[in-house]
Amino acid sequence: MSAEPHYTLYHPRWYRRRVSVWWWLQNRSYTWFVLRELTSVFVAFFAVVYLWQLRALAQGPEAYGLFLLRLKTPLFLALDTVAFLFVLFHAITWFHLTPKAMVFQVRGKRVPDWVIVGSNYAAWLVLSGAVAFTLLRG
Amino acid sequence: MGRITPLLWLLFSAGGTVAALLFPVHLVLTGLAFPLGWLEAPSYEFLHRLLTHPMIRLYLFVLISLPLFHWAHRFRYTLYDGLQLKHLTELIAVLCYGVAFLGTAMTAYLLWNIP
């Protein structure tokens, strides 16, 4: 036995299994969850595209023409296609989420989920039509 | 941070709703139908004329700004959970909301200055 006892500061060590960064690929519902979370990246992407268009419009006709040309490149066509699918996924999951996040009552009775989801789709249809109608008059 | 969390959540859900209702149609037109020639892209003069309406400017402000805050909030948690970056909480929050603020400021500046 050594003469000097050896002391260490007590520190508890928990048992923690290392989780891979790819944990969400092991189960389909986790994968859908992470894909749904990733829709935000494409939402931001398109917000930036619209900001870019706004800047082009502020700069003048040549800048706007250049913006239209850039969007015709394969890179942007590919990005916009993927972004469209993700944004669509966001829209559909968001519409179905609303009745889970908010409870509406009419005369003390809870509005059934399908009414809320249905009115989301109705609003979607009306607004999309209005936007298309406005933009296609030019 | 705790005190402004309800406000950030409100921006997140408002932005999510704006993106859900309006982004698909804008994206399919601007990103696919116009560049691929399915439909004719609106002319510069037409869009410029639209932009003279204050309501259209307000619409564009809401259309760009709120979804950026939606992204900031959701992406923050994607980074924490997805990439296990819980220890970088503050840095990530500052970066995400900072980008959303910057985008909002740029949108406001452009909309304010377009003649």
Side-chain angles (χ1 to χ4, degrees), chain B residues 7-44:
Chain B
L7 174 71
L8 294 175
W9 201 85
L10 198 72
L11 286 171
F12 161 75
S13 52
T17 306
V18 168
L21 289 172
L22 295 165
F23 271 25
V25 63
H26 277 288
L27 186 45
V28 83
L29 288 174
T30 306
L32 296 170
F34 298 152
L36 289 170
W38 300 339
L39 294 165
E40 203 181 334
S43 68
Y44 172 81

Side-chain angles (χ1 to χ4, degrees), chain A residues 19 40 43 50 64 90 94 124, chain B residues 16-17 21 23 26 42 71 84:
Chain A
V19 179
S40 76
V43 165
Y50 240 60
Y64 178 64
H90 162 72
W94 194 264
W124 193 28
Chain B
T17 306
L21 289 172
F23 271 25
H26 277 288
W71 164 80
Q84 301 165 23

